[in-house]
Each structure stands twice: as structure tokens, then as C-alpha cells.
Amino acid sequence: AGRGGGNLGGYVDGHEGMPLVNVEVECWVIVPEETRAKVSNHFYFTFALPDKKSCRRVLPGNIDQARRQAARMHADDVQSGLRP
């Protein structure tokens, strides 16, 4: 069955061996008049650092964050294999 994704473009070619930075952004909608807030979206970004040999390692703060990060890293690996 088809998985999401597709051609990621030539800009991701050759990133092997470069340090990667994974960033998760959580967006909230806040309604102060009703004293409520809810998560509206999550964005995940992975950046390669082409001019660096390494970067500072930042570990997740708890097991839930670690699981979410591991899932995203796995999804990046799967998506990178979708290139034609």
C-alpha cells in the first residue's frame, strides 16, 4: 500500500555523515475569554548541518518525549527511502 511522502528533492542527497538536528514545534490555539487552549498542530523539521562535524546532543526530558523523538527519527528514515 502507498505511504505518504514522495520525492524529497536533490537538496537531501549527500547528507549522510552530517549531524542532524530534529525539531518538534507544537502549536496551540488559546482562547482566553473561555479559559481554554488546545493543540492545533505539530510540525517536525530535520536539519542537516553541512559545515559541522558534530553538534551538542540534547536528550529528551522524559520517556514520552523520547518515544516521540524515536518515532520521528524512524519516520525520517522511512521517508528518505521514498525517493525515486
Side-chain angles (χ1 to χ4, degrees):
R3 293 184 284 198
N7 185 354
L8 301 177
Y11 60 90
V12 298
D13 292 336
H15 73 278
E16 292 82 10
M18 291 181 197
L20 299 177
V21 176
N22 299 302
V23 178
E24 175 185 8
V25 178
E26 187 175 76
C27 299
W28 286 75
V29 173
I30 299 172
V31 184
E33 301 83 13
E34 299 176 17
T35 319
R36 71 178 172 95
K38 67 177 185 175
V39 175
S40 67
N41 211 337
H42 283 90
F43 300 94
Y44 301 94
F45 302 95
T46 301
F47 300 95
L49 303 176
D51 297 329
K52 300 264 185 175
K53 299 254 187 254
S54 66
C55 63
R56 191 172 105 179
R57 186 174 298 239
V58 178
L59 300 176
N62 60 48
I63 192 69
D64 291 330
Q65 290 175 357
R67 285 185 180 122
R68 197 166 52 244
Q69 186 62 35
R72 288 307 315 157
M73 292 170 74
H74 176 71
D76 282 353
D77 287 342
V78 169
Q79 187 177 27
S80 69
L82 295 175
R83 286 179 278 156

